[in-house]
Amino acid sequence: MRLSFTARLAVLAITLALISSLASVFLIWNGIHNDAIAALRRDTVEQAQDFVSVYRSGGFPALREAINAARDPDDDTLILAVLDARGRRVMGVGPVTAAVQPLAGTPFSIAVPGHSAQWTGREAGFAIHRVGRYWLMTGRLLDDWEQEQRTIEHVVGLSILLAIVTGIATGLVVTRYVGRRLNRITDVVEAVSGGDFADRVETVAGGRDAFDRLAIRLNAMLDRIEQLVGELRAVTDSLAHDLRSPLARLRARAEQASLAEDAGAREAALSGLLVETDMMMRMLTTLLEIGRSAAMGRDRFVMAEPGAILEELTELYDPVVEEARMALTLDIAPDLPAMAVHRELLSQALANLIDNALRHAGSGGTLALSVSRGDGGVRFAVADRGPGIDPADREEAIRRFGRLDRARSQPGAGLGLSLVDAVARLHGGHLELADNAPGLRATIVIPA
Amino acid sequence: MTRKILVVEDDAATAAYLAKGLAEAGYSVETCGNGRDGLFLASEGVFDLIVADRMLPGIDGLAMLSAIRAAGITAPALVLSALGTVDDRIDGLRAGADDYLCKPFSFGELSARVEALMRRTDRSTTSGKPTRINVGDLEIDLLGRQVSRQGRPIALGAREYSILEYLARHAGQVVTRTMMLEKIWNYHFDPGSNVVDVHVGRLRRKLEEGFDSPILHTVRGAGYRLAPAA
C-alpha cells in the first residue's frame, strides 16, 4: 500500500515523537523505581535492626510486645513476622508460610514473600534475620511503588496521545511547507511549458536550503532553455526570411515559363528554374551539414596530412582561379605531421573559403593558400586581395544567413562562412578573419 | 535484350516518376513500395539493377540491400535518399550501395548513374582488362597513359588524363558533374562554383582544337558525354 506523502511524514513524526517521549518516560520511571526501592531498602534495614536489637535486649517476650505495638490494622502492606525453621508463621503479620526456601539471613531482597491470601503474586522488599531458633522477617509490599507505576502508566498513555497529535501536526505542517515551496516550483515549470519563459522561482532562504538550491538550478536551466528557444526562434525566423527570396525567384521563373509565348523563352525560364532549385537544395544541404557538424562525433576523422588536403584542393581549383584571372599560390610548411581530420568537411570548408575569395575578390590579385604551424595549432589560411571584411562586420559574416550589405546583390545564402566556422569547431578549433592589408585572410585554426 | 530494373520506393509519386522515366529510357521497370517486397522480388535474381529508397517502411533500404547481398544477388544497387550530407553519402556507399543519390535529383543525374552502373556490370562480365580504349578517332593507351587523336598525340596533364579516362570508360554515356567529383576527386560535397566545367573545358580545348569535329559534348542540365560526333 502506498501512503500519501503527508501520511508517511505523519507516521515518521509520530514514531520519532513516541521514541523521544517513551525514552524520557522510561528514564523517569527507572529513576523513580530506583528511588522507591532505595527508600524501601533503607526503611526495611532500619526496621529489621530495630527489632533484632529488641530481641537481643528482651528476648521473645519483648519482641512479641514490640511486634504487637507496631501492628496497624489499616496497614495491609506491612510484613512483620516470626517464622519457624520451615518458614511457617509463628506470630506477627505476614504470609502463613514464607515462600523463601530454605530460609537464610538476608539484609534485603525483593521477592514474592508468600503464596497465601493477599501475598500471592505480590512482590515485597524484606529482610530476614535469625532470632534464636526462629527467623524474623520484616518488610513491606511494593504497593507504594505500584501506585507510582500506575501514575507513570498514565503519563505514558498521555505522552503516546501527545506524540500522535504532535506527529500528525508535524506531518501536516511539514507537508504544507514542503508542498507550498514545491508547488511554487511546479507552477513555474508549468508556466514555462505553457510558453511563459520569463517566469522564475524566487528564493526564500537566500540560497541556503535545498529548495533554494533546487530553485537556483532550475532557474539556471530555464535561462538556458529561454536562450536556446530564442536562438531557435531567431534561426527559424531568419530561415523563413531567407527562404523567401529564393522562393520568390523560383516563383517568378515558374511564372515566366508558364507565360512564355515562344519555346526559346520558356526553355530559358525553365533552366533558370532548375538553377534556382539547385541553389536552394545546396543551401538546405549546407544548413543540414552545419547542424550535423555541431553534434558529430570524431569517429569519422581520418589521419591526413594537412599539406595533402590543400594540394588536392589547389589542384581542383587551379584552373578556376586562373580563369578568374587570379594567381594561386600554395605555401605548405615542411614537417607538418598527419593529423586527425574530417577530410571531406575540412576540404569543403576550405573550398568555401576559396569560393568566397573567387566571388568577392574579383579578378586580378593573388589567392594565397597556406598551411603552417603557429598560434593555436595548425593554421589553414586562404588570403585574397579583395575588399576584405570590416572588423565590425566579421561576426555578422560568420553568422548563419548573415550577409553583408554589399553581398546582397549576389547569389548566395550567407551560409558559407557559417559552415566553415562549424567545421573548425568540429575539429576543436576556430575560424579567424583578419585583414590581409588589403584583402581578407581567413584562417581555420585546428589544435595540433 | 531489355534490362530489368527494380524500383523500391514507398513514395508513390516518386515511384511513378522513376518508372515512367526509366521506361522511356528503354528499361523494363518493376516497382514495389516496401523493403519486404523489395527483398522478395530481388531474390528472384532477374534484375539487372536495383534502385532503392533509403528510408522504407518495413525493412530499411540499407538493411534490405545487405539482405539481398547476403542472398548472393550481385546486381548493382543505387540508393536514393533525402539525407544529403557528406556523411550520409559515405555511409550509404559503405553499406553496400554501388551509388548514392540525394533527393531531390534531376532525372538526368539518375539516368547517367543508372547507365554507368549497367555498363560496369557489362565490363566485369566481359573477360580481360582493356589496355586501350577507342572513341571514334580518339585513342587512349591505358597502360602508357598516352592519348592521340587521328594519330596525332595529345599531351595531357595527370588530372586531365584521369578525367578523360573516366569519360572514355563511360563513352557514349552521360557523366554528371557530381559523378566526376565523386569518382575523380573523391569529394562528396558540392563545391558550389563551376570547377568541373572549367576542368572539362580545358580538356575539351586540348581534344578538339585543330580537329574539325567535336568529341566531348555538353549535355544540358546533366553533364558531359564523350562520343564521336553524330
Side-chain angles (χ1 to χ4, degrees):
Chain A
M1 184 187 71
R2 300 282 297 167
L3 288 170
S4 75
F5 178 67
T6 315
R8 271 183 287 166
L9 210 61
V11 166
L12 182 70
I14 290 168
T15 315
L16 286 177
L18 269 180
I19 288 171
S20 71
S21 59
L22 286 183
S24 58
V25 165
F26 173 77
L27 287 175
I28 291 167
W29 188 0
N30 207 30
I32 288 174
H33 189 174
N34 289 342
D35 279 357
I37 301 293
L40 183 62
R41 170 195 288 265
R42 216 168 33 245
D43 289 353
T44 306
V45 168
E46 212 167 277
Q47 196 181 29
Q49 277 164 359
D50 284 352
F51 283 99
V52 168
S53 60
V54 166
Y55 166 77
R56 287 201 183 125
S57 57
F60 276 105
L63 185 60
R64 176 175 310 179
E65 220 162 281
I67 287 173
N68 286 335
R71 282 176 74 164
D72 180 351
D74 297 331
D75 185 357
D76 58 356
T77 65
L78 180 75
I79 298 171
L80 186 53
V82 175
L83 310 173
D84 64 14
R86 293 168 65 186
R88 276 187 300 235
R89 190 181 67 194
V90 180
M91 64 174 209
V93 287
V96 182
T97 310
V100 192
Q101 291 293 346
L103 281 171
T106 167
F108 183 77
S109 67
I110 291 176
V112 178
H115 298 301
S116 58
Q118 85 257 36
W119 311 105
T120 314
R122 296 175 73 178
E123 287 194 313
F126 55 85
I128 296 172
H129 291 278
R130 203 174 181 93
V131 282
R133 290 192 293 119
Y134 298 98
W135 299 86
L136 175 70
M137 185 181 190
T138 66
R140 199 169 275 281
L141 282 173
L142 296 181
D143 272 5
D144 286 354
W145 180 76
E146 273 175 3
Q147 196 58 48
E148 278 163 23
Q149 193 184 33
R150 267 200 295 282
T151 316
I152 288 167
E153 272 164 8
H154 278 134
V155 172
V156 169
L158 209 66
S159 66
I160 288 173
L161 198 72
L162 213 65
I164 290 170
V165 171
T166 50
I168 290 171
T170 313
L172 286 175
V173 168
V174 169
T175 43
R176 226 181 120 77
Y177 178 73
V178 170
R180 213 177 56 228
R181 296 197 62 179
L182 284 181
N183 280 341
R184 180 64 200 121
I185 293 173
T186 323
D187 287 348
V188 170
V189 171
E190 225 157 73
V192 170
S193 41
D196 178 11
F197 289 100
D199 207 358
R200 291 291 179 275
V201 188
E202 74 268 21
T203 54
V204 177
R208 281 190 301 274
D209 68 8
F211 291 105
D212 274 4
R213 283 199 294 277
L214 175 64
I216 289 166
R217 289 261 173 277
L218 192 77
N219 286 345
M221 192 179 83
L222 291 178
D223 287 345
R224 180 91 184 108
I225 291 176
E226 189 181 14
Q227 186 199 344
L228 288 175
V229 169
E231 279 174 17
L232 187 66
R233 194 169 295 155
V235 168
T236 43
D237 283 357
S238 60
L239 187 61
H241 179 264
D242 286 270
L243 280 178
R244 206 169 273 278
S245 35
L247 274 175
R249 285 200 298 271
L250 266 183
R251 198 184 181 287
R253 298 277 194 186
E255 212 167 69
Q256 277 171 20
S258 68
L259 293 179
E261 296 287 330
D262 68 301
R266 187 177 307 126
E267 190 82 350
L270 281 175
S271 66
L273 193 66
L274 283 177
V275 169
E276 293 289 347
T277 319
D278 286 350
M279 214 161 80
M280 253 183 91
M281 268 164 55
R282 193 173 308 143
M283 176 177 139
L284 287 175
T285 307
T286 310
L287 254 187
L288 202 59
E289 204 86 75
I290 293 172
R292 281 285 179 83
S293 65
M296 201 190 300
R298 298 175 75 96
D299 56 327
R300 299 184 182 274
F301 282 31
V302 292
M303 293 306 287
E305 276 175 30
I309 289 175
L310 219 49
E311 268 168 4
E312 286 166 22
L313 269 176
T314 310
E315 195 278 318
L316 179 64
Y317 274 94
D318 201 26
V320 187
V321 175
E322 218 169 276
E323 201 127 293
R325 287 196 298 283
M326 290 166 81
L328 192 144
T329 64
L330 178 61
D331 179 18
I332 298 171
D335 303 333
L336 282 174
M339 55 197 293
V341 293
H342 194 302
R343 177 185 167 270
E344 288 270 351
L345 281 179
L346 184 59
S347 300
Q348 184 172 8
L350 288 164
N352 274 5
L353 291 179
I354 297 172
D355 211 44
N356 269 355
L358 283 171
R359 265 190 292 155
H360 298 300
S363 61
T366 317
L367 179 58
L369 304 185
S370 65
V371 56
S372 61
R373 188 193 283 276
D375 190 20
V378 175
R379 304 170 64 90
F380 297 85
V382 177
D384 64 43
R385 292 291 178 194
I389 298 178
D390 195 67
D393 291 338
R394 282 175 192 159
E395 208 170 307
E396 174 69 9
I398 294 178
R399 200 178 59 78
R400 259 177 240 194
F401 294 114
R403 301 189 66 189
L404 304 180
D405 286 335
R406 62 162 195 270
R408 292 209 184 270
S409 54
Q410 300 181 28
L415 290 171
L417 284 181
S418 176
L419 177 70
V420 177
D421 186 52
V423 170
R425 281 175 200 283
L426 170 69
H427 288 84
H430 61 277
L431 169 64
E432 272 178 22
L433 297 181
D435 196 354
N436 197 30
L440 177 71
R441 168 183 289 271
T443 311
I444 298 176
V445 185
I446 296 177
Chain B
M1 189 189 93
T2 317
R3 311 293 196 130
K4 298 188 74 167
I5 297 181
L6 173 64
V7 174
V8 191
E9 164 67 74
D10 60 318
D11 180 51
T14 312
Y17 168 67
L18 286 173
K20 183 167 175 285
L22 290 171
E24 277 170 9
Y27 298 104
S28 131
V29 184
E30 195 153 336
T31 60
C32 67
N34 66 63
R36 213 172 298 281
D37 294 349
L39 180 55
F40 181 72
L41 287 169
S43 49
E44 290 175 21
V46 298
F47 293 99
D48 298 293
L49 179 76
I50 298 160
V51 177
D53 188 24
R54 180 161 176 179
M55 275 174 277
L56 287 171
I59 310 176
D60 158 61
L62 294 184
M64 179 191 80
L65 209 57
S66 48
I68 290 173
R69 290 279 180 267
I73 307 290
T74 54
L78 172 63
V79 169
L80 304 175
S81 170
L83 302 172
T85 66
V86 164
D87 285 326
D88 295 320
R89 289 161 179 261
I90 294 172
D91 281 350
L93 294 177
R94 277 188 192 158
D98 296 273
D99 206 349
Y100 192 95
L101 194 54
C102 292
K103 287 184 188 176
F105 49 84
S106 72
F107 194 79
E109 182 81 41
L110 178 82
S111 72
R113 285 169 188 263
V114 165
E115 214 174 310
L117 286 174
M118 291 285 193
R119 179 68 68 91
R120 205 179 67 183
T121 329
D122 294 349
R123 252 208 323 276
S124 61
T125 48
T126 57
S127 59
K129 266 190 168 179
T131 57
R132 58 182 57 236
I133 300 175
N134 290 297
V135 181
D137 52 5
L138 184 73
E139 187 174 318
I140 303 166
D141 173 5
L142 296 175
L143 296 177
R145 298 172 77 85
Q146 300 295 322
V147 179
S148 61
R149 194 172 175 197
Q150 295 173 3
R152 270 195 277 161
I154 299 171
L156 294 179
R159 187 60 67 180
E160 288 162 346
Y161 174 81
S162 43
I163 296 169
L164 178 62
E165 187 186 328
Y166 184 73
L167 285 164
R169 286 187 187 277
H170 296 86
Q173 293 172 246
V174 178
V175 171
T176 67
R177 292 171 182 83
T178 34
M179 282 164 77
M180 293 170 77
L181 266 175
E182 287 173 12
K183 300 292 172 352
I184 300 171
W185 281 276
N186 193 24
Y187 286 136
H188 293 82
F189 61 87
D190 183 347
S193 49
N194 55 341
V195 279
V196 176
D197 297 336
V198 175
H199 279 275
V200 173
R202 295 184 153 213
L203 175 63
R204 174 183 286 144
R205 272 200 298 281
K206 291 197 175 176
L207 292 181
E208 295 180 356
E209 247 165 44
F211 300 95
D212 46 7
S213 61
I215 188 162
L216 212 178
H217 313 273
T218 301
V219 181
R220 264 198 50 210
Y224 300 96
R225 191 176 69 231
L226 188 71

